[in-house]
Amino acid sequence: MISLKNIAQEFHNGTERNHVLKCINLDIPEGQFITVIGGNGAGKSTLFNIINGNLRPTSGAIFIDGKDVVRTSHSSRAAMISRVYQDPNFGVCPELTIAENMALANARGNWKWLRRAIRKKDIAFFEQKLAEFELELETMLRKKASLLSGGQRQVLTLLMATLQKPRLLLLDEHTAALDPKIAKQVMGITKNLVDNQKITTIMISHNMSDAITYGDRLIMLRGGEIVMDVSGEEKQALTPAELITMFELDA
């Protein structure tokens, strides 16, 4: 469903060239959940920025459903690709209420919808979706997002990102800023959302246990290249200690 062909990214600093990504080739079947790991500077965030259109690669092509979107703008890809960031503040409009934030997400790919007010049936739909998380968020629809905790905001962001099922969900270390207890809860909610809707997902994580536990496939980037690509029993047989040892090779 998604295919990256010979993706390379160079950044120029005066006379020096920094090869952040080097000939990345990656085919992702529909519904697959991939976890991406790698040290700082490995190229993970650059890869995400290229996929969602924030950055045009130096060379290569990106195919979604057989169509090359490498020259398609970030705003045009927004109807297909959702991204959840590490900072819980990035995914919501703080001064809007939960209901207003969800209305924006519900209009993904159909911006003319915003001309209409939030309807009663929309409120009922939002309440139903929020109630599934058992966090009592459905009772807070009139509450501004700025008043929510970091964990609540990240759960709201996750729901907004999947309210209109995207072709691809990008999770950019989305639990890194949360305390361990809340992070575990958010990961459980993430798994349920992805599994129930069969959403094609790529998740960047620095948590080695999560990298092994969640997802169908595990990829490691090092120096802008894919140095490991495992799935199935091979992935489940890995241990956090083994992955940490692999990380030390970057030092």
Side-chain angles (χ1 to χ4, degrees):
M1 193 273 286
I2 297 170
S3 186
L4 308 182
K5 298 296 184 185
N6 302 316
I7 293 293
Q9 183 63 55
E10 294 181 5
F11 294 110
H12 298 265
N13 182 15
T15 59
E16 295 183 2
R17 291 185 178 184
N18 183 12
H19 297 266
V20 179
L21 293 177
K22 305 170 185 176
C23 198
I24 297 291
N25 287 284
L26 185 63
D27 292 317
I28 307 171
E30 186 167 7
Q32 190 170 71
F33 185 170
I34 294 178
T35 303
V36 178
I37 61 174
N40 292 333
K44 305 182 300 298
S45 294
T46 298
L47 182 63
F48 267 25
N49 286 332
I50 287 173
I51 291 173
N52 80 342
N54 282 335
L55 181 66
R56 183 175 293 181
T58 304
S59 62
I62 304 169
F63 293 93
I64 299 180
D65 296 327
K67 180 183 177 182
D68 187 358
V69 299
V70 77
R71 296 185 180 277
T72 303
S73 68
H74 168 69
S75 57
S76 297
R77 292 187 212 181
M80 300 182 288
I81 301 174
S82 292
R83 185 171 180 176
V84 180
Y85 292 85
Q86 177 178 333
D87 189 336
N89 294 309
F90 280 9
V92 297
C93 297
E95 293 309 307
L96 296 183
T97 66
I98 290 178
E100 290 165 342
N101 271 283
M102 292 183 71
L104 287 172
N106 202 38
R108 179 183 298 275
N110 184 22
W111 306 117
K112 292 180 181 179
W113 185 91
L114 291 175
R115 295 175 184 172
R116 290 174 280 174
I118 302 174
R119 300 159 296 184
K120 288 184 179 179
K121 70 175 184 178
D122 299 321
I123 293 294
F125 174 62
F126 299 158
E127 287 175 339
Q128 173 198 340
K129 287 295 183 181
L130 290 167
E132 295 174 5
F133 302 135
E134 299 180 352
L135 296 174
E136 298 186 354
L137 287 171
E138 70 276 11
T139 67
M140 308 178 192
L141 280 171
R142 301 300 180 190
K143 191 173 186 177
K144 285 188 176 182
S146 59
L147 300 177
L148 301 177
S149 69
Q152 289 173 325
R153 257 177 281 181
Q154 204 66 316
V155 169
L156 176 59
T157 300
L158 264 174
L159 178 56
M160 289 167 59
T162 57
L163 202 58
Q164 294 292 326
K165 180 182 174 182
R167 298 296 287 138
L168 176 64
L169 175 63
L170 301 177
L171 302 174
D172 194 350
E173 298 185 68
H174 70 304
T175 63
L178 307 176
D179 69 59
K181 181 180 178 180
I182 299 300
K184 183 177 180 180
Q185 187 177 21
V186 171
M187 279 307 310
I189 290 171
T190 300
K191 185 179 187 304
N192 288 337
L193 282 170
V194 170
D195 288 352
N196 292 340
Q197 296 189 51
K198 296 179 172 57
I199 301 171
T200 308
T201 303
I202 309 176
M203 178 180 75
I204 294 175
S205 179
H206 277 148
N207 186 306
M208 298 299 100
S209 294
D210 284 352
I212 295 169
T213 301
Y214 297 100
D216 313 300
R217 184 175 172 190
L218 175 60
I219 288 172
M220 177 181 279
L221 288 177
R222 181 186 298 128
E225 298 177 297
I226 295 175
V227 296
M228 182 176 69
D229 187 347
V230 296
S231 57
E233 293 181 359
E234 186 179 4
K235 173 180 177 291
Q236 294 304 319
L238 290 168
T239 66
E242 287 175 325
L243 292 182
I244 291 171
T245 299
M246 295 176 189
F247 261 75
E248 291 174 350
L249 295 174
D250 288 336

